[in-house]
Amino acid sequence: MSNTDSSKRYCKSLCLKNDDKLIEEYKKVHAAGAAWPEITQGMLDVGIIDMEIYIVKNQLFMIMDTVANFDHDKAMTELATKPRQSEWETYVSRFQNTSADASADEKWQLMERIYKLGL
């Protein structure tokens, strides 16, 4: 996590099942405009102002920018209660090396920053 005056940044990681067909389908589910609108709205509601997901092979890397006063644990607990969030987690679990009943916070592991240019 990094901090600026107006936002916080969190980086997370998750492994997909090592199956080329599933990986391609996961990319389609996350293409521009493909995510369910309730999921996007829920993220905005809890203070996530931007999110990007990158992939190499079956490894995902997420960059999540949030409001400055963002409380990660509180926000992830709240996000889990948002409309269709549980349904979404079950839906995407078929692509992921996690259990179908795991929450987003249990799936996406926070990463520790170990280097930053200029520090």
Side-chain angles (χ1 to χ4, degrees):
M1 177 191 73
S2 68
N3 293 319
T4 66
D5 291 340
S6 60
S7 67
K8 292 181 182 177
R9 172 170 284 170
Y10 296 84
C11 296
K12 297 182 174 188
S13 179
L14 181 146
C15 281
L16 296 176
K17 293 176 181 172
N18 197 9
D19 178 310
D20 291 341
K21 187 175 179 180
L22 285 177
I23 291 169
E24 285 307 310
E25 193 172 342
Y26 187 85
K27 288 179 183 180
K28 289 177 186 174
V29 167
H30 289 81
W36 302 349
E38 299 91 343
I39 302 309
T40 302
Q41 188 60 52
M43 289 189 282
L44 294 169
D45 289 348
V46 300
I48 300 169
I49 53 179
D50 195 18
M51 179 186 289
E52 296 180 18
I53 299 175
Y54 295 83
I55 188 168
V56 61
K57 298 181 183 177
N58 70 321
Q59 185 68 43
L60 298 176
F61 172 67
M62 175 194 293
I63 300 171
M64 186 173 78
D65 293 321
T66 70
V67 295
N69 64 346
F70 191 81
D71 179 322
H72 183 272
D73 293 341
K74 182 180 174 186
M76 293 301 101
T77 299
E78 182 183 346
L79 183 60
T81 69
K82 294 291 184 183
R84 299 194 75 192
Q85 186 67 36
S86 177
E87 183 183 354
W88 175 260
E89 294 305 334
T90 300
Y91 175 67
V92 295
S93 69
R94 65 191 174 107
F95 305 107
Q96 304 165 337
N97 277 336
T98 62
S99 68
D101 60 347
S103 68
D105 195 38
E106 292 168 327
K107 296 176 185 184
W108 286 95
Q109 298 300 300
L110 277 172
M111 300 175 76
E112 175 187 2
R113 183 176 70 192
I114 61 168
Y115 174 81
K116 179 170 173 48
L117 183 67
L119 289 183

